Amino acid sequence: HRSGHHRDYLFYRTPLTGDYEVVGELSTGGTSQMMVAGLFCGPKGDLKSVWSGSFRDDLLEQPLDPPLQRHNLWTRFRAVVRDRKLQISLNGRVVIERELESNPDPWIAARSVSHSTGSLRHLQIAGNPQVPEQIHLSSSKTLGNWVPHNYFLETAGTPESFWKWVEGDDGQGQIVGRRFPVESGTWFESLLRYHRPLIEDGSIEYEFLYRPETHDAHPAFDRRVYLLRPEGVGIHWLTDGRYDRTAVPPDNIHFEPEHQRGGAPLPLKPHDWNHMRVSVSGNRVTLELNHQKIYEDELEPTNRRTFGLFHYTDQTELTVRNVIMRGDWPKSIPDFREQELADPALIEMETQLAKLPPGFQHDFVRGGLPEEFFKLGGYQPGNSIISKPDGVHIQLVSAKSSGWTSVMVVPQFSLSGDFDVQASFDLKDLDNTFQDGLAFLEARLTDRENHYFRSMRGRQPDIGQNLRSQVMWGPLNEQRRISDEQQSSWETSGKLRMTRVGKQLFALFAPEDSQMFRILRKETITDADVEMGGILLELAIRDRTSAHVVWKDVSLKAERLKYLPPSDKPLRVLSAMNADGSNLRTLTKPAFNLNHLGSPAFSADGSKIVLDMSTGSTTSSHIVLMNRDGTELKDLGMGCMPSLSKDGKSIVFSAPGEGVVMTDFDGKNRKTIDRSGWGVQFSPDGKQIAYGRSSNITLMDVASEEKKPLMTGDVATRYSSIYWNLGWSHDSQAIAFKGRVRTTGQEELAVVALDKPDAVEILYSGSGINPDFTFSPDNQVVLFAKNTPGQPGPQLYLAYRKTPGEIEFLKGQPSDRMIYDCEWSPDGLEIVFSSVQIPGPVDWPIAERSTPAEQNSN
């Protein structure tokens, strides 16, 4: 804002109602404010008080004790409108709370005062704002969004004012311009102007009481007044009364016959309510009185297009009701990540991080503090950390001068590449005991400089309430270097966040349940991995003080996320057991210098098993053939999730970059069937193959190579994604699969029969379903693996087609293993499956792999 001679406002173009929040940063010099729901607020230059008020009111000064801290040139503004209440905070400190009227001012605006330069940046709007089709302008009892033209003479909203709001006999609000007979003969001009200009095409409608000689009301745009006289519409130029420096008299009026419409006299209804509609299209103004067009003309280019209500206060009273504005304003607002004034560095960061896979998320409120995923560290963590219904509490008390003491919760993960780490927190007893401590997220990197990166919330005697970010580096066994930055903040709850894009690290923060983060620090450091257990949720105190934090949840995302299970045992192996659970044995371990296996499938005669082996990624996967007893392993080349034809002469599989592929058993005649497909399987009769493609299953006739979608009707659009490793029934008449429901995101184990493509049998709904399914010999039961509550990973369950929704834990399966892909032998005697006896670090998630389509969508 460049200095003006008076108060200046920059309006957001779209009106908003409902629940929403507005955040931004104001220059700390005290010259700028933000207006939300009719109230503006901003810091005074000395930070010892705040300015506040409505559009009409002058500045009101509200002292702050203690003052705001001056850590940088910007003050963080946040306004939350929720449940007809307004809360405004500066640097996280609540400075205004109030109940709102039933129809609060819907306009957001930046404000700057006279003879000064102000700044606003990083403005964002989020929540659940609604864009109204129309706005009621006469509902505010304070008239806070209207201002008289002669402000100092016509103070609105006070008992002695020319303008006031009254409640009519029908309970509706009325705007009243009072009559002052004592001024009789002075032609005292009185105009009440609505604060937001009608800059776009739109209209304003209202009803006014007309009584000849005593009551009238005339519309105006800026100083252009349309006087409604019985003989027609006269144009009046609004003067400044006694302060006007021109010779234009206050009773000026002239008629422009070419703009009159409908003839004379005007269709005024004496001693009754009259309806007025003033509409604007481009620069053309049209007046309609009691639904008859009476006048049309053009606004001058310099007209500010602010609508007003005018009368001569020495002659008449003005009474108006049901004032409604409609405009061709935008009917929606962009997502807060795409708004014009959002921090471009933040938006670029968010854009890159949106490509990360889902990662690991844990809710401490619902899920407690499972040892499976977290370890405790620091000084006597067993005495300081406790899981409660509202989250994980860390409380520290120091009775002596002993330097820094810290304790932490440590997720058992490592991160590679770009990453995004978030944790929600709630500080307790902040005012009384949190004197010198820090609650923070920390990432320990494996580069040569041993960098630690931190996003922190704390309080220190010499700094006060603050958000901080730190970088530490240097030899671990020596005095380490540290770079520390602070920003003032009084929020007691929110989200701490650390992200990395390339070599650039960000420390961020969002208050309470808001999703609008701000950048605390941006630093180019390293793209080295975060070490295993290198993410810490920590609390630290120094010398004779105490601190208390509650961690609510944590989220870890990365290009590559590895997990360290509770013990260090071999990776996945292929096992077999009799159908009743007896005779458990290991058939094979990963071979050919590979360390992962899965997707076993029997040959039609049951004598062979084909599977894939890899280093944990589909790009490194090989197809392996072996005897049923695990002997004579043969590497058939690159590919994953293989399936043999009935005659054993052909094999189909999936290959990254190629999709679904078919070759002869010896590798000849290789051809790509569908580059967009994934997870292909031969039918037991060898006549068809099935694979997932986008949100449906594709069938291909082997002889004719004709392809068609399997599911039709409503079920064809039920799922947003079809997962890999479909399972054919032994009679080749049905397919079991995992789908993600488009409308809810819910996972489902479903069966679709080939003769009923417009219906699915939903056998189980829930999370943690491993996508690999096999039918019992009678085709009535589906065997699959899913996560088991209280267990480290998936185990085997039976789903029954006759009783959908009921599943049964498979008896006899080993209890000390996580079980994944499974296959029932054609003769029904054996079950083979891949299993893990709690390994060392493994890729996360360990229960599923993403299809190429899912990877792109994530």
Side-chain angles (χ1 to χ4, degrees):
H1 167 253
R2 291 196 175 191
S3 302
H5 74 282
H6 203 50
R7 300 176 292 269
D8 293 328
Y9 286 80
L10 178 67
F11 283 90
Y12 185 62
R13 189 165 187 169
T14 303
L16 300 178
T17 61
D19 293 347
Y20 58 93
E21 67 172 303
V22 181
V23 301
E25 295 184 356
L26 301 168
S27 52
T28 302
T31 60
S32 302
Q33 300 89 37
M34 281 294 299
M35 185 172 73
V36 177
L39 185 72
F40 68 77
C41 182
K44 191 179 176 183
D46 60 8
L47 302 183
K48 295 180 180 179
S49 57
V50 297
W51 295 125
S52 66
S54 70
F55 182 87
R56 185 192 64 250
D57 293 334
D58 280 332
L59 290 173
L60 302 176
E61 187 174 347
Q62 174 183 326
L64 291 177
D65 185 19
L68 296 171
Q69 292 99 7
R70 190 187 301 276
H71 284 168
N72 51 45
L73 298 178
W74 298 94
T75 298
R76 186 76 169 183
F77 173 94
R78 182 177 186 237
V80 178
V81 177
R82 185 175 299 158
D83 299 329
R84 288 182 58 183
K85 296 179 181 178
L86 171 66
Q87 182 186 85
I88 297 178
S89 58
L90 298 176
N91 287 344
R93 184 173 171 183
V94 176
V95 294
I96 291 177
E97 289 185 289
R98 68 168 53 180
E99 298 280 343
L100 294 175
E101 297 177 316
S102 57
N103 290 296
D105 185 12
W107 302 104
I108 295 170
R111 181 183 190 275
S112 196
V113 298
S114 59
H115 305 106
S116 61
T117 300
S119 302
L120 164 70
R121 70 175 187 178
H122 302 170
L123 179 71
Q124 292 178 284
I125 304 167
N128 188 32
Q130 308 297 314
V131 178
E133 292 290 334
Q134 60 186 34
I135 302 170
H136 296 269
L137 307 188
S138 53
S139 61
S140 172
K141 297 180 180 180
T142 64
L143 297 180
N145 43 15
W146 295 82
V147 62
H149 174 65
N150 291 312
Y151 178 79
F152 295 104
L153 295 178
E154 305 180 58
T155 306
T158 60
E160 70 279 4
S161 70
F162 283 36
W163 295 93
K164 63 181 180 178
W165 182 95
V166 300
E167 185 174 336
D169 295 337
D170 56 1
Q172 298 177 347
Q174 297 179 1
I175 297 176
V176 174
R178 298 168 65 187
R179 181 182 182 186
F180 287 85
V182 70
E183 301 286 346
S184 179
T186 64
W187 294 90
F188 197 116
E189 301 164 285
S190 182
L191 180 137
L192 188 69
R193 178 181 292 117
Y194 186 65
H195 66 338
R196 196 271 191 182
L198 190 62
I199 60 170
E200 59 279 287
D201 291 352
S203 67
I204 295 179
E205 297 183 52
Y206 58 92
E207 296 173 295
F208 67 95
L209 186 61
Y210 175 62
R211 291 176 180 158
E213 308 301 330
T214 63
H215 288 76
D216 60 14
H218 310 283
F221 276 108
D222 198 2
R223 291 177 179 262
R224 188 177 185 85
V225 181
Y226 298 90
L227 295 178
L228 306 180
R229 300 302 191 206
E231 66 272 23
V233 178
I235 301 300
H236 169 72
W237 178 258
L238 181 68
T239 74
D240 288 326
R242 73 177 73 171
Y243 303 107
D244 203 284
R245 298 190 179 189
T246 71
V248 178
D251 61 345
N252 73 87
I253 183 173
H254 69 279
F255 292 87
E256 299 173 349
E258 69 273 18
H259 298 309
Q260 307 287 335
R261 302 290 183 268
L266 294 183
L268 287 163
K269 296 187 294 184
H271 308 288
D272 201 353
W273 290 99
N274 288 250
H275 181 270
M276 189 73 198
R277 184 174 188 268
V278 183
S279 58
V280 179
S281 178
N283 286 324
R284 176 162 289 273
V285 175
T286 302
L287 274 60
E288 297 173 62
L289 176 61
N290 294 321
H291 309 290
Q292 296 182 39
K293 188 181 296 185
I294 61 171
Y295 198 83
E296 283 185 304
D297 75 347
E298 299 280 333
L299 292 176
E300 62 275 13
T302 57
N303 194 291
R304 296 186 180 183
R305 300 173 70 126
T306 51
F307 173 79
L309 298 167
F310 175 89
H311 75 129
Y312 284 105
T313 191
D314 64 313
Q315 302 172 24
T316 63
E317 180 174 303
L318 179 150
T319 304
V320 167
R321 70 183 184 184
N322 295 329
V323 187
I324 295 175
M325 173 188 278
R326 297 181 179 90
D328 189 22
W329 46 69
K331 296 304 185 286
S332 64
I333 64 172
D335 181 88
F336 67 88
R337 302 172 186 84
E338 300 171 358
Q339 292 168 9
E340 290 177 292
L341 293 185
D343 183 350
L346 181 65
I347 302 310
E348 175 62 24
M349 181 206 74
E350 295 280 16
T351 300
Q352 296 301 320
L353 294 176
K355 302 173 185 178
L356 296 177
F360 171 79
Q361 298 183 15
H362 184 76
D363 187 334
F364 293 120
V365 175
R366 296 182 178 181
L369 186 61
E371 295 181 1
E372 173 189 1
F373 297 120
F374 301 96
K375 289 186 177 180
L376 309 181
Y379 178 73
Q380 297 183 345
N383 298 331
S384 306
I385 301 177
I386 183 172
S387 179
K388 295 184 179 181
D390 62 339
V392 172
H393 289 243
I394 304 180
Q395 192 165 7
L396 283 174
V397 178
S398 176
K400 59 181 181 179
S401 299
S402 56
W404 284 98
T405 300
S406 64
V407 66
M408 68 281 301
V409 174
V410 186
Q412 295 302 288
F413 291 86
S414 65
L415 293 73
S416 301
D418 293 353
F419 65 74
D420 185 5
V421 179
Q422 301 183 32
S424 300
F425 71 93
D426 186 10
L427 293 176
K428 300 292 186 181
D429 305 322
L430 185 64
D431 293 332
N432 298 323
T433 61
F434 202 90
Q435 297 298 320
D436 196 359
L438 296 161
F440 57 95
L441 271 180
E442 179 173 286
R444 297 183 173 182
L445 304 164
T446 59
D447 62 316
R448 292 183 178 181
E449 295 293 327
N450 303 301
H451 276 101
Y452 290 2
F453 192 68
R454 292 171 171 174
S455 180
M456 317 167 81
R457 169 66 171 96
R459 175 176 175 177
Q460 293 179 262
D462 56 336
I463 297 176
Q465 305 280 2
N466 63 85
L467 289 164
R468 300 173 66 183
S469 57
Q470 282 187 350
V471 180
M472 299 178 64
W473 70 98
L476 296 176
N477 57 351
E478 298 179 8
Q479 183 71 31
R480 287 162 58 76
R481 300 176 66 186
I482 185 168
S483 173
D484 188 276
E485 295 182 3
Q486 302 92 27
Q487 294 185 21
S488 177
S489 176
W490 286 69
E491 285 100 349
T492 59
S493 64
K495 272 191 173 70
L496 292 171
R497 185 178 181 189
M498 296 181 302
T499 70
R500 181 174 65 189
V501 176
K503 293 184 178 181
Q504 199 165 62
L505 284 93
F506 298 81
L508 306 102
F509 171 76
E512 298 174 328
D513 56 355
S514 175
Q515 295 301 309
M516 292 190 287
F517 285 89
R518 59 167 150 161
I519 296 175
L520 306 178
R521 186 191 192 105
K522 181 172 62 175
E523 197 82 25
T524 300
I525 301 179
T526 176
D527 59 0
D529 291 354
V530 176
E531 66 184 42
M532 180 60 67
I535 297 295
L536 287 73
L537 284 67
E538 194 163 353
L539 181 66
I541 61 173
R542 180 175 60 182
D543 303 335
R544 295 184 172 87
T545 186
S546 63
H548 184 182
V549 65
V550 182
W551 294 105
K552 299 290 188 177
D553 57 53
V554 64
S555 169
L556 310 176
K557 296 181 181 181
E559 289 186 70
R560 296 175 301 281
L561 191 64
K562 284 190 176 292
Y563 164 59
L564 180 64
S567 61
D568 189 10
K569 295 183 179 179
L571 294 180
R572 204 181 286 196
V573 299
L574 189 68
S575 303
M577 66 182 183
N578 295 343
D580 61 1
S582 61
N583 193 26
L584 175 66
R585 57 203 181 277
T586 297
L587 297 181
T588 187
K589 299 178 181 179
F592 311 111
N593 294 319
L594 303 171
N595 59 12
H596 188 89
L597 58 78
S599 305
F602 278 96
S603 61
D605 61 7
S607 64
K608 303 286 187 180
I609 296 175
V610 65
L611 69 156
D612 58 33
M613 294 185 181
S614 70
T615 61
S617 168
T618 56
T619 59
S620 62
S621 185
H622 288 240
I623 299 170
V624 176
L625 181 73
M626 67 181 193
N627 294 331
R628 180 168 178 164
D629 62 1
T631 59
E632 297 184 10
L633 273 67
K634 183 178 181 180
D635 185 350
L636 301 183
M638 300 295 289
C640 61
M641 292 174 280
S643 177
L644 292 169
S645 62
K646 181 179 180 180
D647 59 12
K649 294 181 179 180
S650 299
I651 185 170
V652 290
F653 55 91
S654 298
E658 296 183 79
V660 171
V661 179
M662 178 185 290
T663 71
D664 295 341
F665 186 78
D666 59 4
K668 297 180 180 178
N669 297 318
R670 181 187 180 102
K671 61 182 177 181
T672 297
I673 297 173
D674 192 336
R675 290 188 177 276
S676 299
W678 196 256
V680 61
Q681 299 287 319
F682 263 113
S683 62
D685 61 12
K687 296 180 181 180
Q688 300 186 85
I689 65 171
Y691 56 88
R693 177 174 177 174
S694 186
S695 57
N696 207 330
I697 296 171
T698 296
L699 290 179
M700 189 188 89
D701 184 272
V702 175
S704 66
E705 297 189 358
E706 180 182 353
K707 304 184 185 77
K708 67 176 182 179
L710 171 55
M711 292 184 286
T712 62
D714 291 341
V715 299
T717 58
R718 178 177 179 82
Y719 301 103
S720 61
S721 185
I722 300 295
Y723 289 69
W724 52 98
N725 281 343
L726 313 170
W728 280 93
S729 60
H730 295 283
D731 59 6
S732 300
Q733 295 302 306
I735 296 174
F737 65 94
K738 173 183 172 179
R740 185 178 297 276
V741 180
R742 186 182 303 276
T743 56
T744 65
Q746 180 70 47
E747 298 176 4
E748 287 183 353
L749 162 55
V751 172
V752 57
L754 270 60
D755 61 351
K756 295 181 180 179
D758 61 346
V760 290
E761 306 165 34
I762 301 172
L763 303 190
Y764 175 75
S765 296
S767 60
I769 301 172
N770 193 66
D772 195 345
F773 310 97
T774 181
F775 280 80
S776 61
D778 62 0
N779 301 312
Q780 295 303 305
V781 181
V782 175
L783 179 68
F784 72 106
K786 80 170 193 72
N787 288 343
T788 300
Q791 298 296 321
Q795 293 177 300
L796 294 175
Y797 288 81
L798 301 169
Y800 296 89
R801 298 180 72 181
K802 292 183 178 179
T803 56
E806 298 181 10
I807 61 173
E808 180 183 355
F809 185 82
L810 180 65
K811 297 178 181 178
Q813 62 180 299
S815 59
D816 61 341
R817 300 188 186 189
M818 296 182 288
I819 300 176
Y820 302 95
D821 314 298
C822 56
E823 182 82 353
W824 223 313
S825 65
D827 55 21
L829 298 178
E830 291 182 336
I831 295 171
V832 298
F833 54 87
S834 61
S835 66
V836 173
Q837 276 194 313
I838 315 301
V842 294
D843 289 332
W844 181 270
I846 55 178
E848 334 184 314
R849 292 168 296 188
S850 298
T851 66
E854 276 199 323
Q855 290 170 352
N856 290 335
S857 67
N858 288 336

